[in-house]
Amino acid sequence: MKNIIQAVKGTREFYPAEMALRNWMYAKIKAVSQSFGYQEYDGPFLESIELYAAKSGEELVKEQSFVFPDRGGNLITLRPELTPSLARMVAQKQNQLVYPLRWWSFGPFWRYEKPQKGRTREFFQWNIDLIGVDCPEGDAELVAIAADFFKAVDLSSSEVKILVNDRRLMDKQLIKLGVTSVDQKKAMLGIIDRRDKLNEKDWEVYVLESGFSQAQLDGLKAVLNDKELYKTSPEMMRFFNALESMGVADYVDYDPRIVRGLDYYTGIVFEARDVGESSRAILGGGHYGNLVEDVGGTSLAGVGFAMGDVVLPLILEQFGKLPELPLNPAEVLVTVFDADCQVYSLSIATALRAANINVLVYPEAAKIGKQFKFADRVGVCYVIVAGPDERDQKILQVKDMRSGEQTSVKIGDLVDVIKKLMLP
RNA sequence: GUGGCUGUAGCUCAAUGGCAGAGUGCUUGACUGUGGAUCAAGAUGUUGCGGGUUCGACCCCCGUCAGCCACCCCA
């Protein structure tokens, strides 16, 4: 074991068990996305660094991305996010596409961060966007998709919550507090974002040290504690009303502390968290006013969110909701009694496969006990024994590994018997 | 990028600076044509890697790699 070259730091290896989970997540994501009529798409995994540099205020992209020169000396980036690629794809065909666009994607992304639990350098991410719509009901649709996804993976509204705020609503409150300049606003959003990370006293000191007055601090505290603030916003009332109609209101809470770090959000912002004390962010998104302007298109509003594949399994595990997935696609194992019977076993397996049954054949003659043990270990449900006695009598032994029951079956009845057993 | 904790058998973990261990799993047998259960026997280690201190290092020191935790950041 010592001379194995290590996998690249922060990358992930999907052994069959992990791959089964990833495919399970993908299937849930696909089903929910399609249930709202969204189309699957994807962008390149490699992009030039300019694509990300084009977005202002994103120096971090350069620092947190894998960047390397290609043979021509151009700087290539392993995509750290999908939104800029999406923006370009939309801009390139802006006049040919049918709006509103409903697009989703699930693919790999890379970020050069320090790996730890729930954070790797290589991860998969679900991105889903509704583009060309600028109304609270459109925003509500994305939140409903997130909630439906949680339902689909059996996470209840008491286990996860989608917390929502509106940047416009916060802007109004900040103006009331005399926070008017762009820099001040940015600082204030950072302060709000940090509220949960510091204890109250430290946070208050931090606010005052950031150049805000005691009056502003008091005002801010009042805003952040006002769970009813959304009622002053007609858009948010429409938004919550839409969620009610879609049957997911129990998953969604108004939370004035949610502001999200990203610059390009201009309306609704939201993030989903588990309700436990550790409370990790599972997904995040919001409404943006101009998706494609930065890459040369005309302004288009939209709303979307992204969910990584790393945190969700941790949350599922925490609530005991990890699915038990079958790891072996074969339902049947045909044993090989001895060398003389080997080709006979092969022909039986072939007949079963012809009837669309997945079959594993033991690869060589071995002690029958060893073969049963193998069947047990790989999770096969039915084992067929075809020894010399059976061959002479034109029968087979079929054993149900779960019940332990074994029956003799006429060779001509085998397919029917197996199919009947496999019915749920 | 900063700081801290950890790294020993496939896995979970022991071992005052003095012979490298347990549980579990694995292999084989009890069972000559049947898995799980029981019993018995057996195998398995570059103590992450590289240096140093020491008569002697899993243990102490330095470096390095990896994982975890807190920052930073969160697309």
Side-chain angles (χ1 to χ4, degrees), chain A residues 215-328:
Chain A
Q216 286 173 315
L217 169 59
D218 293 341
L220 180 61
K221 281 165 72 177
V223 169
L224 294 185
N225 287 323
D226 186 359
K227 296 279 182 190
E228 308 279 293
L229 188 58
Y230 70 94
K231 291 184 179 169
T232 66
S233 158
E235 290 89 5
M236 289 221 82
M237 292 302 284
R238 276 171 65 187
F239 170 83
F240 278 107
N241 196 36
L243 290 173
E244 193 80 44
S245 300
M246 287 187 276
V248 294
D250 54 326
Y251 277 91
V252 188
D253 280 342
Y254 173 72
D255 189 335
R257 294 179 184 183
I258 301 297
V259 290
R260 307 283 303 161
L262 254 69
D263 292 344
Y264 56 67
Y265 291 132
T266 55
I268 291 267
V269 288
F270 57 92
E271 63 187 47
R273 302 185 149 270
D274 66 297
V275 177
E277 62 237 32
S278 61
S279 187
R280 293 168 181 274
I282 305 166
L283 59 82
H287 181 103
Y288 37 82
N290 51 349
L291 175 74
V292 296
E293 227 164 352
D294 289 340
V295 292
T298 42
S299 184
L300 262 183
V303 53
F305 69 80
M307 182 191 80
D309 73 320
V310 181
V311 169
L312 186 77
L314 298 175
I315 305 291
L316 290 171
E317 186 182 21
Q318 175 186 326
F319 292 114
K321 299 288 177 69
L322 273 176
E324 281 184 30
L325 300 169
L327 291 183
N328 201 299

Side-chain angles (χ1 to χ4, degrees), chain A residues 339-351:
Chain A
D340 284 344
C341 294
Q342 186 158 21
V343 291
Y344 182 55
S345 291
L346 292 177
S347 67
I348 291 163
T350 301

Side-chain angles (χ1 to χ4, degrees), chain A residues 161 163-165 188-204 206-207 220-221 224-225 227 254-260 271-281:
Chain A
K161 279 277 188 268
L163 307 173
V164 183
N165 197 4
M188 213 34 132
L189 292 181
I191 284 168
I192 295 169
D193 209 25
R194 194 150 302 177
R195 178 61 193 90
D196 286 332
K197 291 171 184 165
L198 299 174
N199 66 52
E200 193 166 350
K201 282 222 173 100
D202 289 348
W203 181 76
E204 289 180 5
Y206 175 65
V207 175
L220 180 61
K221 281 165 72 177
L224 294 185
N225 287 323
K227 296 279 182 190
Y254 173 72
D255 189 335
R257 294 179 184 183
I258 301 297
V259 290
R260 307 283 303 161
E271 63 187 47
R273 302 185 149 270
D274 66 297
V275 177
E277 62 237 32
S278 61
S279 187
R280 293 168 181 274

Side-chain angles (χ1 to χ4, degrees), chain A residues 361-373:
Chain A
V361 184
Y362 205 80
E364 59 191 353
K367 278 186 154 178
I368 212 75
K370 194 175 173 185
Q371 298 187 47
F372 269 89
K373 186 164 185 171

Side-chain angles (χ1 to χ4, degrees), chain A residues 38-223:
Chain A
Y38 284 63
Q39 299 171 290
E40 187 171 9
Y41 75 103
D42 208 347
F45 298 177
L46 302 178
E47 290 279 11
S48 75
I49 195 168
E50 287 83 17
L51 180 69
Y52 306 102
K55 280 175 63 185
S56 55
E58 291 259 10
E59 284 299 306
L60 302 153
V61 166
K62 286 183 203 161
E63 286 164 32
Q64 294 195 339
S65 295
F66 282 85
V67 180
F68 54 89
D70 67 11
R71 294 188 183 202
N74 299 311
L75 286 180
I76 300 297
T77 305
L78 282 169
R79 63 178 187 182
E81 59 165 327
L82 191 57
T83 305
S85 304
L86 170 63
R88 183 193 53 216
M89 287 170 70
V90 172
Q92 282 173 169
K93 299 206 174 189
Q94 188 149 13
N95 297 327
Q96 304 167 43
L97 298 168
V98 180
Y99 298 91
L101 298 177
R102 286 184 163 93
W103 285 7
W104 71 278
S105 181
F106 183 78
F109 295 87
W110 294 266
R111 286 179 206 166
Y112 200 91
E113 293 187 288
K114 191 158 186 169
Q116 49 188 269
K117 198 169 199 174
R119 178 193 286 182
T120 58
R121 287 184 172 180
E122 183 176 60
F123 55 95
F124 283 75
Q125 197 170 72
W126 176 26
N127 285 267
I128 185 161
D129 292 272
L130 170 59
I131 297 166
V133 169
D134 196 358
C135 66
E137 289 75 19
D139 294 342
E141 175 165 304
L142 268 290
V143 172
I145 289 169
D148 269 10
F149 174 77
F150 291 137
K151 282 185 193 171
V153 299
D154 197 27
L155 287 170
S156 74
S157 60
S158 61
E159 290 164 337
V160 294
K161 279 277 188 268
I162 302 166
L163 307 173
V164 183
N165 197 4
D166 191 321
R167 283 264 176 101
R168 291 165 294 189
L169 186 55
M170 292 313 279
D171 284 351
K172 256 187 227 166
Q173 304 307 312
L174 293 183
I175 287 166
K176 279 189 197 165
L177 295 174
V179 177
T180 47
S181 78
V182 174
D183 283 349
Q184 275 189 319
K185 212 180 95 182
K186 217 167 180 180
M188 213 34 132
L189 292 181
I191 284 168
I192 295 169
D193 209 25
R194 194 150 302 177
R195 178 61 193 90
D196 286 332
K197 291 171 184 165
L198 299 174
N199 66 52
E200 193 166 350
K201 282 222 173 100
D202 289 348
W203 181 76
E204 289 180 5
V205 169
Y206 175 65
V207 175
L208 296 173
E209 282 177 350
S210 299
F212 295 102
S213 68
Q214 183 66 45
Q216 286 173 315
L217 169 59
D218 293 341
L220 180 61
K221 281 165 72 177
V223 169

Side-chain angles (χ1 to χ4, degrees), chain A residues 352-391:
Chain A
L352 288 166
R353 289 193 194 106
N356 283 325
I357 296 166
N358 297 341
V359 181
L360 212 53
V361 184
Y362 205 80
E364 59 191 353
K367 278 186 154 178
I368 212 75
K370 194 175 173 185
Q371 298 187 47
F372 269 89
K373 186 164 185 171
F374 173 79
D376 190 44
R377 293 290 306 271
V378 299
V380 161
C381 294
Y382 308 104
V383 175
I384 292 175
V385 179
D389 299 346
E390 287 82 6
R391 187 174 48 182

